[in-house]
Amino acid sequence: MAESRPQSLHPGDQPSDASVPKVVVSRLSLYLRELQRLEAAGQQTISSGQLGTLLGFSDAQVRKDLGFFGQFGYPGVGYRCDELIRAMRDILGTNQSWNVVMVGVGNLGQALLGYRGFGRQNFTIVAAFDADPAKVGQMVRGLMVQPLEQLSETVREQHVRLGMIVVPAERAQEVADRLVAAGVEGIVNFAPVTLNLPPHVQNVGVDLAIELEQLSFAVTSKLVKLAEPSPSPAE
Amino acid sequence: MAESRPQSLHPGDQPSDASVPKVVVSRLSLYLRELQRLEAAGQQTISSGQLGTLLGFSDAQVRKDLGFFGQFGYPGVGYRCDELIRAMRDILGTNQSWNVVMVGVGNLGQALLGYRGFGRQNFTIVAAFDADPAKVGQMVRGLMVQPLEQLSETVREQHVRLGMIVVPAERAQEVADRLVAAGVEGIVNFAPVTLNLPPHVQNVGVDLAIELEQLSFAVTSKLVKLAEPSPSPAE
DNA sequence: CGGTGTGAAAGTTTTCACAGCG
DNA sequence: CGCTGTGAAAACTTTCACACCG
């Protein structure tokens, strides 16, 4: 689709030798989200200043962040939305599809199984597990709930690389250990505990009560402004 | 419970003149979560080194972070769990209880209404709203779903200061505007859009697909380690 | 012009290292 | 002795400012 590119722009060109700060990666996701919205609204190009304003960042920050990965812009014009979206998805890894397993099919787990946003970014939940024998064998949102014993086999057969933990806090570490043993490379943990994981396994924690806690601090202390981008979490 | 305190420690003593970095506040929530776990397990005291190790931080970082708010430790001993928990909750504002409204009673909204973790940290969801007339009037997890028109009244009558947005992306900004008009001071936004809010309203965004995206980047780029604490999000 | 890409400066956060205390 | 609290140094991130491009 893109032909007359100015400098680099081809994937694989990424000068990602030095490690990129994690805060930059979290802003990348926000850029991508906004770009997708803009493109859907019919916008062809955008400048760093416009994109920054929409998200509450400076123009320089947008350009610096993108600069970690290559040169994507056209001087005097800005960035072409379609090209930048493709580049960002290459960087973030969501041009390829990802199979994900979910462990825990309680209220929250079931709600997440039905969440459409995952599929939109190329994540597919291919299997659901639960330790409760009463739940195993039931169909939940199109998936048959499997016993934890089957985790390794499913992860292997379906080429699963990511897992989500949606079990009570007391069970989370044990489940994490099983996911690691099964060969999963990254975990999103919704249980309110910090997991102890080997360093080669990535993880992000989402603690719903903590999000409210951060607000209660900000509101109480009349902080100028609490957060900006959408960072990540735990250990 | 605590009597022989060494230096300061009383709430209200907080030297919070200078603004505290937001990343420090997000770690505070993790410290608190871990301390509560330790206390429940019967541990009386803890050192900065132990606490840091459990969460993947250095001892110095733990001490520096706490240092923003006062002096809580006993040289040669560490911190008393009960005292530190109380101090952290005073700082974060969760020693007082908070009334919260939720807008959007879809799958995710209903699951969140049933989440026990909120109550444990003193947050109570006192009312649920939805724009869908078919949902209004129904009982969901003990709450009668109200029409959005009643938002302002309920917020006023129940002294609500925080709100959660759990509606589709297209509706999120409109709902945010209503929450702001109703006088809410902080918003947790689960919709995958950046909200445009007046500066006096705090907000935290939780985008479930973005959490997976961050993992896919980390896993793909074999990053040394993606995240540490449990930060927060959007604009 | 309007806008990118990027060194260099400014600002912020983390780590170091050590005096002081019980 | 073990551990806190904290200045000072190091590391990192953001902002500035400007050369250069179409």
Side-chain angles (χ1 to χ4, degrees):
Chain A
M1 325 243 110
E3 45 244 318
S4 64
R5 77 216 87 87
Q7 299 96 326
S8 58
L9 194 58
H10 17 269
D13 179 62
Q14 288 130 256
S16 54
D17 23 82
S19 80
V20 179
K22 59 178 186 290
V23 64
V24 170
V25 182
S26 73
R27 284 193 298 262
L28 238 49
S29 279
L30 296 176
Y31 299 153
L32 175 56
R33 190 173 79 178
E34 197 64 31
L35 286 164
Q36 288 174 144
R37 196 181 64 80
L38 290 164
E39 189 187 45
Q43 190 162 340
Q44 305 264 316
T45 65
I46 189 163
S47 67
S48 58
Q50 289 174 306
L51 185 53
T53 299
L54 288 167
L55 296 166
F57 306 130
S58 71
D59 57 336
Q61 181 145 71
V62 172
R63 293 199 301 278
K64 255 285 148 76
D65 285 348
L66 298 179
F68 277 99
F69 302 96
Q71 305 192 137
F72 307 104
Y74 301 82
V77 178
Y79 304 86
R80 296 190 45 167
C81 293
D82 58 350
E83 284 179 8
L84 195 49
I85 287 170
R86 165 164 262 288
M88 304 284 271
R89 293 184 62 123
D90 275 335
I91 293 161
L92 290 169
T94 55
N95 273 329
Q96 66 180 278
S97 67
W98 293 80
N99 286 346
V100 182
V101 288
M102 167 168 294
V103 184
V105 193
N107 292 317
L108 187 57
Q110 292 190 27
L112 294 177
L113 278 178
Y115 184 63
R116 302 303 231 58
F118 295 137
R120 243 176 270 134
Q121 296 306 331
N122 247 334
F123 297 101
T124 309
I125 301 176
V126 296
F129 298 81
D130 205 292
D132 180 354
K135 284 181 179 150
V136 170
Q138 293 202 343
M139 289 298 282
V140 176
R141 307 221 160 231
L143 292 176
M144 158 92 74
V145 179
Q146 301 178 39
L148 277 171
E149 288 70 30
Q150 255 168 259
L151 189 58
S152 283
E153 196 182 319
T154 301
V155 165
R156 188 168 7 91
E157 284 175 1
Q158 305 251 39
H159 306 100
V160 170
R161 300 178 65 186
L162 305 177
M164 301 179 87
I165 296 180
V166 200
V167 302
E170 311 78 61
R171 298 268 183 78
Q173 182 63 55
E174 172 210 331
V175 167
D177 292 343
R178 279 178 180 266
L179 284 167
V180 171
V184 156
E185 295 165 72
I187 292 174
V188 180
N189 174 31
F190 286 87
V193 286
T194 297
L195 299 176
N196 188 204
L197 298 171
H200 64 276
V201 176
Q202 303 292 331
N203 86 108
V204 168
V206 179
D207 185 319
L208 303 168
I210 281 182
E211 310 298 348
L212 280 174
E213 224 170 66
Q214 296 291 303
L215 277 188
S216 94
F217 174 85
V219 162
T220 305
S221 68
K222 278 285 148 28
L223 208 66
V224 182
K225 199 69 184 173
L226 205 226
E228 279 293 348
S230 185
S232 13
E235 139 77 338
Chain B
M1 318 176 163
E3 45 243 316
S4 63
R5 77 215 88 86
Q7 298 98 326
S8 59
L9 195 56
H10 18 267
D13 180 62
Q14 288 131 256
S16 54
D17 24 82
S19 79
V20 179
K22 59 179 185 290
V23 63
V24 170
V25 182
S26 72
R27 285 192 298 262
L28 238 49
S29 280
L30 296 176
Y31 298 153
L32 176 55
R33 190 174 78 178
E34 197 65 30
L35 285 164
Q36 289 174 143
R37 196 181 65 79
L38 289 164
E39 190 187 45
Q43 190 161 340
Q44 304 264 315
T45 66
I46 189 163
S47 68
S48 58
Q50 290 174 305
L51 185 55
T53 299
L54 288 167
L55 296 167
F57 306 129
S58 71
D59 57 337
Q61 181 145 73
V62 172
R63 292 199 302 276
K64 257 282 149 79
D65 285 349
L66 298 179
F68 277 99
F69 301 96
Q71 304 192 139
F72 308 104
Y74 300 83
V77 178
Y79 304 87
R80 296 189 47 166
C81 293
D82 59 348
E83 284 178 9
L84 196 49
I85 287 170
R86 164 163 263 286
M88 305 284 271
R89 292 184 63 123
D90 276 334
I91 293 162
L92 290 169
T94 55
N95 272 330
Q96 65 181 279
S97 68
W98 292 81
N99 286 347
V100 182
V101 288
M102 166 168 293
V103 184
V105 192
N107 292 317
L108 186 58
Q110 292 189 27
L112 294 177
L113 278 178
Y115 185 60
R116 302 305 233 55
F118 294 136
R120 242 176 271 133
Q121 295 306 330
N122 247 334
F123 297 101
T124 310
I125 301 177
V126 296
F129 298 82
D130 205 294
D132 180 354
K135 284 180 181 151
V136 170
Q138 293 200 343
M139 289 298 282
V140 176
R141 306 220 161 233
L143 292 177
M144 157 92 74
V145 178
Q146 301 179 39
L148 277 170
E149 288 69 30
Q150 255 168 259
L151 189 59
S152 284
E153 198 182 317
T154 301
V155 164
R156 187 169 7 92
E157 283 175 2
Q158 305 251 40
H159 305 99
V160 170
R161 299 178 66 185
L162 305 176
M164 302 179 86
I165 296 180
V166 200
V167 302
E170 312 78 62
R171 298 270 184 77
Q173 182 62 55
E174 172 209 332
V175 167
D177 293 342
R178 278 178 181 267
L179 283 167
V180 170
V184 156
E185 296 165 69
I187 292 173
V188 180
N189 174 32
F190 286 88
V193 287
T194 296
L195 299 176
N196 187 204
L197 297 172
H200 64 277
V201 177
Q202 303 292 331
N203 87 107
V204 167
V206 179
D207 186 319
L208 303 169
I210 281 183
E211 310 298 347
L212 280 174
E213 224 169 68
Q214 297 290 304
L215 276 189
S216 96
F217 174 84
V219 162
T220 305
S221 69
K222 278 283 148 30
L223 207 66
V224 181
K225 198 69 186 174
L226 206 229
E228 278 295 347
S230 187
S232 14
E235 141 82 342

